[in-house]
Amino acid sequence: MNKAKSIKNLLSVQDLAENEIYAIFNRAKNFKGGFISNEKPLSDKKIGMIFEKSSTRTRVSFEVGILELGGYPLFMSSKDLQLGRGEPIKDTARVLSRYLDGAIIRTYEQERIEEFAAYFNKPVINGLTDLYHPAQVLTDLFTAYEVKKDIKNLKIAYFGDPNNMANSWINLQVLMGFKLVLAIPEDFKINEKALAFSKERGGSFIVSHNKTEAAKDADVVTTDVFISMGQEIDDAKIKKLMPFQIDETVIKLAKDDVIFLHCLPVHRGEEVSEDIFEKFSSNVFEEAENKLHVQKAIMERIFA
Ligand code: CP
Ligand code: NVA
């Protein structure tokens, strides 16, 4: 492995510090307000985007963001690369490293992006893995911060599958110190890596198997699909998760000014009821827009 130690990646939220996250949020706010439209911090930088899974928001917002920052995005679906025919990820990384100035990867195992990053002599950003979705969770907290003007005193309640979004919330809680409750079925486990990071760094979150307890006085309620990309449709799993649906009961127990967030795409009638999704759709589509602003701030920090 030839990667210089000084290269900064964003493979998970664990790669950031609290002050960097506030700096990203401040920059994102300025990007959103149109205050820094003339600066081109990625001028002439070629950024590869290697996606091994589907994407609407992450792909388009990163691609547009790179263009707005003066860089040149190259989108590569793994199907179009020799990677899709079995070329090792470490060889792909060593070749692309000679052409590109940075990469955004969406893939399966976290070990796969870690291996890519180890052999790619330029910075790498995680655009979602089975384990984490750091750019998304930063966008979500930014959206909550924008509305609530607070982070430390927020109660954020996540309902449903303890997946890449839940793991990312656990990481972010360690750094930002809000109150986090994860409402999950009794026989579902929190990922060991996310748990270990929280323990090591003195984070704290509550695991609840009780939807009403989790919802009580929440400032932010959030969820994600029950079946993530790369997982088989599993009716038994969906059945166990259904009692954790965000519905009217959850909203009634939460604070009066609660907001609902969802990274999208949504499965109406599974993780959230149709009514509640539509009622809070303005929050959710603001969150989708915020991906562009937050990711520009992330890219400026990692690639510029
Ligand atoms: N939220 C999110 O990552 O959406 P996409 O899968 O469309 O990129
Ligand atoms: N947990 C979902 C998030 C999609 C943006 C997935 O991995 O498919």
Side-chain angles (χ1 to χ4, degrees):
M1 293 187 212
N2 54 7
K3 183 130 181 169
K5 284 232 162 14
S6 56
I7 292 178
K8 185 163 173 85
N9 298 316
L10 178 65
L11 303 188
S12 79
V13 172
Q14 298 178 17
D15 292 326
L16 296 172
E18 181 182 9
N19 64 332
E20 291 179 289
I21 294 174
Y22 279 110
I24 288 170
F25 288 178
N26 283 333
R27 280 304 269 181
K29 190 177 168 192
N30 287 336
F31 280 125
K32 188 171 185 176
F35 304 121
I36 33 183
S37 54
N38 295 328
E39 291 175 35
K40 302 288 176 208
L42 297 191
S43 182
D44 296 330
K45 289 202 187 287
K46 279 95 46 197
I47 308 297
M49 301 174 58
I50 301 170
F51 277 48
E52 299 200 87
K53 293 175 175 173
S54 307
S55 174
T56 297
R57 283 145 286 269
T58 307
R59 183 223 166 134
V60 178
S61 54
F62 267 120
E63 210 166 320
V64 169
I66 293 165
L67 287 168
E68 288 183 2
L69 295 178
Y72 184 82
L74 289 95
F75 180 80
M76 294 163 272
S77 140
S78 56
K79 281 182 261 163
D80 304 324
L81 295 174
Q82 296 290 5
L83 189 64
R85 296 179 60 243
E87 184 169 19
I89 194 109
K90 62 183 177 185
D91 294 354
T92 307
R94 281 182 284 192
V95 170
L96 293 182
S97 198
R98 290 162 187 257
Y99 308 141
L100 299 170
D101 300 300
I104 300 162
I105 314 286
R106 170 168 284 202
T107 188
Y108 293 87
E109 300 84 10
Q110 184 71 10
E111 292 73 21
R112 201 164 159 77
I113 195 173
E114 281 167 6
E115 187 178 356
F116 182 93
Y119 284 92
F120 185 78
N121 214 13
K122 309 280 169 55
V124 178
I125 293 177
N126 182 346
L128 181 145
T129 59
D130 295 345
L131 188 62
Y132 296 126
H133 197 1
Q136 182 67 52
V137 81
L138 289 165
T139 298
D140 294 2
L141 187 65
F142 172 81
T143 306
Y145 186 37
E146 199 178 30
V147 180
K148 303 284 177 197
K149 317 278 179 236
D150 186 19
I151 289 180
K152 296 270 180 245
N153 298 304
L154 295 182
K155 176 180 173 180
I156 300 181
Y158 174 95
F159 297 81
D161 191 30
N163 61 11
N164 44 10
M165 282 307 301
N167 298 335
S168 304
W169 278 113
I170 293 170
N171 280 344
L172 195 54
Q173 189 286 326
V174 173
L175 301 173
M176 304 306 282
F178 48 83
K179 187 172 178 197
L180 178 65
V181 182
L182 300 161
I184 63 171
E186 237 165 284
D187 55 343
F188 282 42
K189 296 266 171 297
I190 299 292
N191 176 271
E192 279 174 17
K193 284 190 179 161
L195 193 58
F197 176 68
S198 180
K199 275 194 180 152
E200 258 166 51
R201 295 279 301 269
S204 75
F205 61 92
I206 294 168
V207 176
S208 170
H209 307 303
N210 180 325
K211 171 159 131 176
T212 53
E213 178 190 274
K216 198 161 183 327
D217 297 327
D219 299 283
V220 178
V221 294
T222 184
T223 183
D224 186 17
V225 288
F226 290 163
I227 307 291
S228 285
M229 288 183 280
Q231 297 177 346
E232 300 278 316
I233 300 289
D234 178 346
D235 291 335
K237 181 182 179 190
I238 295 174
K239 198 171 166 205
K240 282 183 187 169
L241 285 162
M242 277 310 292
F244 294 86
Q245 183 187 75
I246 296 187
D247 56 10
E248 194 61 40
T249 329
V250 168
I251 301 303
K252 276 198 180 129
L253 287 162
K255 287 205 181 131
D256 292 342
D257 61 350
V258 66
I259 60 166
F260 166 75
L261 298 177
H262 194 306
C263 65
L264 300 176
V266 63
H267 282 208
R268 292 169 166 85
E270 287 191 7
E271 70 273 12
V272 59
S273 67
E274 167 82 32
D275 289 0
I276 297 303
F277 182 78
E278 288 304 333
K279 183 171 169 191
F280 288 92
S281 57
S282 59
N283 283 156
V284 174
F285 292 105
E286 197 69 20
E287 174 189 3
E289 176 185 328
N290 285 341
K291 279 177 78 84
L292 173 65
H293 312 301
V294 172
Q295 289 168 182
K296 280 167 75 177
I298 293 171
M299 287 194 287
E300 183 183 48
R301 185 157 280 268
I302 301 289
F303 293 144

